[in-house]
Amino acid sequence: MLRKHQTQLRKIARQIARGRKLITDILVYVVPGGGKSAIAAILAAELPGYQIVWVVPRLALRDQGARDFRNPELQALFGQSGEMREASNGDEDNLTRGTRGYITTYQSVVADTALHVREVGKQKTILILDETHHAPEQARSDQDLAPFYEAVRALAAKAAIRVYASGTLTRHDGRRVAFVPHVRTDLVWECVDFNPQPNWAKISYTRATAVQEKAILDITVELFDGRIKYTVERKKKKEEIEFQTFKDVPEAEHSMALYAALRSPLAYQIIDHAIEHWRAHRLEYPAAKLLVIAPQINVAQEYHKYINGTYGLSARIATSDDGPEAQTAILHFKGVASPETDVLVTVGMAYEGLDVRQITHVVLLTHIRSVPWLNQAISRANRVEPTGKKEKGFVFCPADKPMVDALRLIDYIPAFRRAEWAEGVEGVAGGVKRGTVLHFDGNTTTSYAMSLDGKIYIYPGELRKIQQLAKAAGQAGADPIFVKLLLQMGGAPTQQGEVVITQPVLKQQEQKTRRALHQAIITRCTSRQLATQRRRLAKYNKRVEEKYGPRAHMTLEQLEAALNDVINGTLFPKGEVA
């Protein structure tokens, strides 16, 4: 059965084939894991008079795309036969060799632009720019990105039809995505424009739709808060710094605090909890796999040593330093090579192209706080597994503010584009203070859980009781969100009747008021200075919570009152500047 975005694309292709519409550009947003790789097969089936040139960012995606194109089941589903050739620049002027087209990488296009431009110019060509967010707009003044932009632009200019496909229509550096239209909203962000335009067709397949169609699985995120302590040297002076929770960390210290936390016992305790949950979950789904994403290669090596030494697991490690051994480790993780391993530790190789459908648990200990990057990393756990036995994905991560903010934004992609946090130590999103961390310590003190759409939230005390209840029932690996819903639906209390079950699905009016409150705060806090804007947002959000409590649990009356306060400017006492 075709998914919604696949049906829409087939309809567009048939309109082109029959000459009913002049369409030269197609924008396709598909949430990671939603079946974007079917684009080439659908277009090949419906538009046989065109050759397909498919450009991807990684070799792993090139290989995966070629395999998917010749998959007999998918060929029968989409009604096409043939092959997509994996082409390299050494093939000179014969890149297709009698196939339906070829698939290559952006790096190959940049290395020999003229070769690919000639190939596209030979006949009518559909150019698929996969993960198109890799191309930034207005890169001509950037010496590193200008060749990339110009090469892709030259290729796009020769194609009869251009398809811009991505699961991430935002960039980590805040720049626009090249070649696609943008619009400025009433908020402070710019977003990819999905409004109708001449000669354009646009498709959006969101996380909510994909979960509803069972194209991907839902994800529960468990966040861990705790104590962070470190010694930092700044201007030849040593400074002892300690925070009891991530909430206490000021913006200027985000980078340093996260750097310390990811190397302290706090990170290892998150790993412990994830492994315990993963092992219990394997009683229900024995094929479950665990992916650990580290902040740096040397830290990944320490995590790897700890996991194997403490738990006796045969975890593999795959980093860019490992060369061919990294690819071998991934093959063992995929079960292609023997012996198969169920645990993989990596750094950046989990971003795109790691399609292992048995991954159920992701330990997200990266230092990156880019929304597009985190969206891709989290989506490693949302893949549907062919047997149907996998029912859920689980993510475990620290509860620092940039992480929490990013998770809240993920479900709204591609609704907006936002500037990312200022870069700090080693690319950590967050702080602006610099220095050298000499010593670090920390430990987890509490955790809480949330569904990725933010509709269901479990507070720390509530989470502990739910976990205890599930463990007592012999279901230690159960999803806490599911347990909460089960209790709410059946009205079943806990053993002591202490778990407070909140309404899991917000009423329509509450949703509208919640969005209106969010937009009103954003509008009030708009500033050309990003630092000023963030400071205002933090102050407004803090004042709302001080007056009305956590926003996730505000009643409709409280939401309406807070909205009136923001609109009328009465949230702060007279004379106090936000």
Side-chain angles (χ1 to χ4, degrees):
M1 181 178 178
L2 296 185
R3 295 165 185 172
K4 183 179 179 182
H5 67 92
Q6 295 166 348
T7 301
Q8 290 174 321
L9 181 62
R10 187 163 67 175
K11 181 179 179 182
I12 291 166
R14 288 176 177 177
Q15 289 175 332
I16 295 172
R18 294 167 186 169
R20 292 183 180 178
K21 277 192 176 182
L22 176 61
I23 295 174
T24 57
D25 297 89
I26 304 173
L27 174 61
V28 184
Y29 167 76
V30 179
V31 64
K36 176 166 57 64
S37 60
I39 290 173
I42 293 170
L43 294 176
E46 301 299 333
L47 297 168
Y50 293 77
Q51 75 166 350
I52 309 292
V53 175
W54 186 359
V55 188
V56 298
R58 293 171 182 261
L59 287 173
L61 288 172
R62 187 192 72 174
D63 299 341
Q64 177 188 320
R67 283 196 308 273
D68 288 346
F69 193 86
R70 60 176 177 263
N71 182 308
E73 292 182 7
L74 295 180
Q75 287 187 335
L77 179 63
F78 301 125
Q80 71 89 19
S81 61
E83 290 193 12
M84 180 69 60
R85 187 169 177 274
E86 299 165 62
S88 61
N89 291 351
D91 297 328
E92 296 302 327
D93 288 334
N94 189 14
L95 297 179
T96 56
R97 295 188 183 177
T99 62
R100 288 293 286 110
Y102 71 90
I103 181 168
T104 189
T105 63
Y106 286 106
Q107 291 85 347
S108 294
V109 172
V110 174
D112 195 344
T113 306
L115 170 66
H116 294 279
V117 168
R118 283 197 303 272
E119 190 67 34
V120 170
K122 285 180 180 179
Q123 58 178 296
K124 289 194 300 183
T125 299
I126 299 173
L127 175 65
I128 302 173
L129 297 176
D130 205 347
E131 304 298 358
T132 190
H133 63 278
H134 282 265
E137 191 182 64
Q138 299 173 341
R140 295 173 188 173
S141 61
D142 190 314
Q143 291 183 352
D144 294 328
L145 294 173
F148 186 105
Y149 173 81
E150 294 297 338
V152 178
R153 185 177 66 85
L155 198 62
K158 279 285 185 181
I161 299 173
R162 294 162 290 274
V163 180
Y164 310 99
S166 184
T168 311
L169 286 178
T170 55
R171 283 183 52 81
H172 69 282
D173 57 9
R175 295 188 185 192
R176 286 182 171 189
V177 177
F179 316 119
V180 298
H182 289 71
V183 63
R184 190 169 184 82
T185 69
D186 56 343
L187 307 182
V188 297
W189 301 307
E190 249 180 342
C191 66
V192 172
D193 188 1
F194 277 89
N195 293 310
Q197 286 179 297
N199 305 333
W200 276 82
K202 301 176 183 181
I203 298 169
S204 178
Y205 191 64
T206 64
R207 184 179 299 277
T209 304
V211 171
Q212 185 179 17
E213 289 193 339
K214 297 183 179 179
I216 63 172
L217 300 175
D218 204 359
I219 289 176
T220 292
V221 184
E222 190 166 345
L223 300 104
F224 293 79
D225 206 345
R227 181 181 64 87
I228 311 104
K229 182 179 180 180
Y230 54 96
T231 303
V232 63
E233 185 176 37
R234 295 188 179 112
K235 297 180 180 179
K236 297 183 179 180
K237 291 183 179 179
K238 293 182 181 179
E239 187 180 354
E240 294 275 352
I241 299 175
E242 182 173 1
F243 302 104
Q244 295 305 312
T245 72
F246 279 114
K247 292 179 182 178
D248 298 332
V249 179
E251 185 178 325
E253 289 288 343
H254 277 157
S255 293
M256 294 293 186
L258 187 58
Y259 178 95
L262 296 177
R263 291 155 177 81
S264 74
L266 184 147
Y268 291 88
Q269 289 163 14
I270 295 175
I271 292 173
D272 290 340
H273 183 86
I275 289 177
E276 180 184 345
H277 189 280
W278 169 70
R279 280 180 158 175
H281 187 71
R282 279 166 67 88
L283 297 175
E284 299 177 14
Y285 178 50
K289 291 182 181 286
L290 172 70
L291 177 67
V292 180
I293 305 176
Q296 267 187 328
I297 290 175
N298 63 332
V299 182
Q301 292 166 347
E302 292 299 320
Y303 289 171
H304 177 247
K305 190 187 304 180
Y306 173 79
I307 290 168
N308 285 349
T310 305
Y311 294 97
L313 297 170
S314 299
R316 296 271 180 162
I317 184 169
T319 70
S320 57
D321 273 7
D322 298 323
E325 291 182 9
Q327 295 302 326
T328 301
I330 291 174
L331 291 177
H332 284 282
F333 189 56
K334 288 182 173 181
V336 176
S338 183
E340 184 175 356
T341 184
D342 295 320
V343 182
L344 181 70
V345 182
T346 184
V347 180
M349 299 183 82
Y351 176 46
E352 292 169 340
L354 183 64
D355 187 12
V356 182
R357 296 181 178 273
Q358 293 85 0
I359 295 175
T360 52
H361 291 62
V362 175
V363 186
L364 199 56
L365 297 175
T366 176
H367 64 283
I368 297 171
R369 293 298 179 264
S370 158
V371 174
W373 202 98
L374 292 173
N375 185 33
Q376 287 283 354
I378 284 171
S379 295
R380 299 310 102 193
N382 73 1
R383 265 55 175 177
V384 175
E385 199 265 340
T387 66
K389 294 179 180 179
K390 177 182 170 184
E391 297 180 347
K392 189 90 176 186
F394 302 91
V395 174
F396 304 83
C397 60
D400 57 281
K401 189 177 184 301
M403 174 64 85
V404 175
D405 288 346
L407 291 173
R408 286 173 175 166
L409 294 176
I410 281 175
D411 196 51
Y412 296 95
I413 293 174
F416 56 80
R417 180 180 71 85
R418 61 162 288 177
E420 302 297 339
W421 296 80
E423 186 175 297
V425 172
E426 299 181 13
V428 175
V432 292
K433 283 192 177 181
R434 304 276 180 170
T436 302
V437 176
L438 303 175
H439 173 73
F440 39 80
D441 188 19
N443 60 277
T444 59
T445 55
T446 188
S447 64
Y448 59 94
M450 58 182 269
S451 57
L452 198 54
D453 61 8
K455 293 180 180 179
I456 310 173
Y457 187 94
I458 304 177
Y459 282 98
E462 185 182 8
L463 178 60
R464 282 195 299 272
K465 294 177 181 119
I466 284 178
Q467 289 171 336
Q468 289 168 2
L469 180 66
K471 193 171 183 179
Q475 299 291 327
D479 172 24
I481 298 293
F482 176 75
V483 174
K484 179 168 180 170
L485 286 171
L486 196 63
L487 290 170
Q488 191 275 334
M489 289 167 60
T494 63
Q495 292 173 338
Q496 288 80 29
E498 294 175 328
V499 176
V500 178
I501 305 300
T502 56
Q503 180 60 259
V505 182
L506 300 173
K507 295 177 182 177
Q508 189 175 7
Q509 186 59 38
E510 287 179 331
Q511 290 178 322
K512 289 176 63 177
T513 309
R514 215 174 279 278
R515 286 194 294 268
L517 175 60
H518 176 71
Q519 292 191 15
I521 291 175
I522 292 294
T523 304
R524 277 277 179 182
C525 298
T526 300
S527 172
R528 291 183 179 180
Q529 297 294 324
L530 186 59
T532 302
Q533 179 181 306
R534 289 204 303 265
R535 188 168 59 251
R536 289 178 179 173
L537 283 168
K539 197 166 183 180
Y540 260 89
N541 287 324
K542 183 178 179 182
R543 182 57 59 91
V544 167
E545 290 208 0
E546 285 176 348
K547 191 168 181 179
Y548 297 103
R551 205 185 300 184
H553 282 248
M554 286 167 60
T555 65
L556 177 59
E557 291 74 17
Q558 289 173 322
L559 287 166
E560 290 175 341
L563 178 61
N564 287 330
D565 277 348
V566 173
I567 292 174
N568 298 325
T570 56
L571 190 62
F572 294 90
K574 193 172 183 180
E576 184 178 346
V577 179

